[in-house]
Amino acid sequence: MTPPSSLTGDSAVLRLDTDGPLTVLTMDSPPMNLFDEGMWAAWADAVAHLAAYPPRALLVRAEGRVVSAGVDVRVFDELADEDAASFWEGRLATVRALEALPCPTVFAAHSLTLTAAFELALACDLIVATPQARFGLVERKIAFTPAMGGTQRLAERAGPSRARELVMTGDLYRGSVLADWGVVNAVFPPETFRADVHAYALRLANGPTRAHAATKHLVRRFLAGGTAAADAAVPATAAEVTATSDHRRAVKAFLADGPEHTTVYEGR
């Protein structure tokens, strides 16, 4: 399905492209990829389109010197007190819709990734970065706190103590440090970063889509209710995957050719 016109063309601040089964979402609003009304509107359009027409995997990346310098501070200056709750509810809805996509999602950070961009990264399944990339939830500089779910999603990945540290200090942390914390999943060198992350995401896109969706579902159940809640969902989830043609064909290929079989998955 063709993406909305707001997500195509050279003038789009957020652009949707495809490489076979992989969809690539690129922020391209020089020089800082700031989150202003236009960027947020584009993200809402993009996530709505992806929810309606899920790809087999999604790669989120950015053009330019920085991934994003975060929220345009003028947004805070113009936001009336009585509108704040609904404003942030709308932004959080975009984060949650991204998180709920039934496909692997990868956020690639080659450099500075602040506030809203970092919070969107934390809503993706996997974060990849260069060792030198810097991440921060720096809302303390305007006496604020992350309002797009970043604090709690950071706590899920790194624990509550690390989440409090990062948010309360407002310091910047390199990709190599966040990899040690379990926030960043993979680190690639700057020289080959773009090619490496594309290959990383394309591998997921070429994988067993329905099985990946089941994995995401069980992790969400665990986060919501612990091991018991995830266990309760396993039989029905496993039965759904058992019925997929990808699973059936992969089992036959494994038996015929061994674990290194070359089954081409179709997402069914």
Side-chain angles (χ1 to χ4, degrees):
M1 185 67 180
T2 303
S5 58
S6 60
L7 303 172
T8 59
D10 294 339
S11 61
V13 299
L14 190 64
R15 190 171 60 251
L16 266 178
D17 301 290
T18 58
D19 178 9
L22 177 66
T23 291
V24 181
L25 185 59
T26 303
M27 291 186 286
D28 190 6
S29 180
M32 305 299 280
N33 289 323
L34 286 176
F35 278 75
D36 53 16
E37 288 293 344
M39 180 66 80
W40 266 315
W43 264 97
D45 287 348
V47 173
H49 176 79
L50 293 167
Y53 306 99
R56 291 184 58 192
L58 174 68
L59 171 63
V60 181
R61 57 175 300 277
E63 292 285 359
R65 185 172 59 87
V66 304
V67 174
S68 174
V71 179
D72 186 338
V73 176
R74 287 173 292 191
V75 169
F76 296 96
D77 190 44
E78 297 165 1
L79 184 60
D81 293 350
E82 60 271 21
D83 297 331
S86 61
F87 178 88
W88 292 111
E89 182 179 12
R91 275 58 191 171
L92 185 57
T94 297
V95 168
R96 296 182 70 177
L98 172 64
E99 196 169 46
L101 291 176
C103 64
T105 54
V106 179
F107 192 102
H110 64 278
S111 59
L112 186 69
T113 306
L114 298 182
T115 66
F118 190 12
E119 293 185 274
L120 286 161
L122 290 165
C124 291
D125 299 314
L126 303 166
I127 301 174
V128 297
T130 62
Q132 300 86 1
R134 293 178 298 160
F135 295 82
L137 296 174
V138 297
E139 284 84 352
R140 72 177 297 276
K141 294 182 183 295
I142 57 166
F144 198 58
T145 193
M148 291 171 56
T151 303
Q152 51 269 39
R153 285 165 178 78
L154 184 60
E156 284 179 356
R157 292 175 184 247
S161 178
R162 289 298 194 189
R164 287 191 291 263
E165 173 191 338
L166 194 147
V167 175
M168 290 181 178
T169 64
D171 289 342
L172 302 183
Y173 293 78
R174 295 202 177 274
S176 55
V177 172
L178 293 191
D180 290 341
W181 289 11
V183 176
V184 167
N185 296 90
V187 174
F188 297 116
E191 299 79 14
T192 59
F193 185 74
R194 183 164 181 166
D196 288 343
V197 300
H198 194 89
Y200 184 93
L202 192 58
R203 177 188 176 193
L204 296 171
N206 283 318
T209 305
R210 297 284 296 279
H212 289 331
T215 298
K216 292 186 64 162
H217 173 64
L218 293 175
V219 171
R220 285 196 298 269
R221 289 295 297 264
F222 167 75
L223 291 172
T227 300
D231 284 349
V234 165
T237 303
E240 290 175 3
V241 178
T242 298
T244 65
S245 60
D246 278 348
H247 169 69
R248 293 297 188 187
R249 289 187 300 106
V251 169
K252 292 185 182 301
F254 187 104
L255 293 174
D257 302 323
E260 301 307 317
H261 60 86
T262 56
T263 299
V264 176
Y265 296 110
E266 298 173 348
R268 297 195 296 268

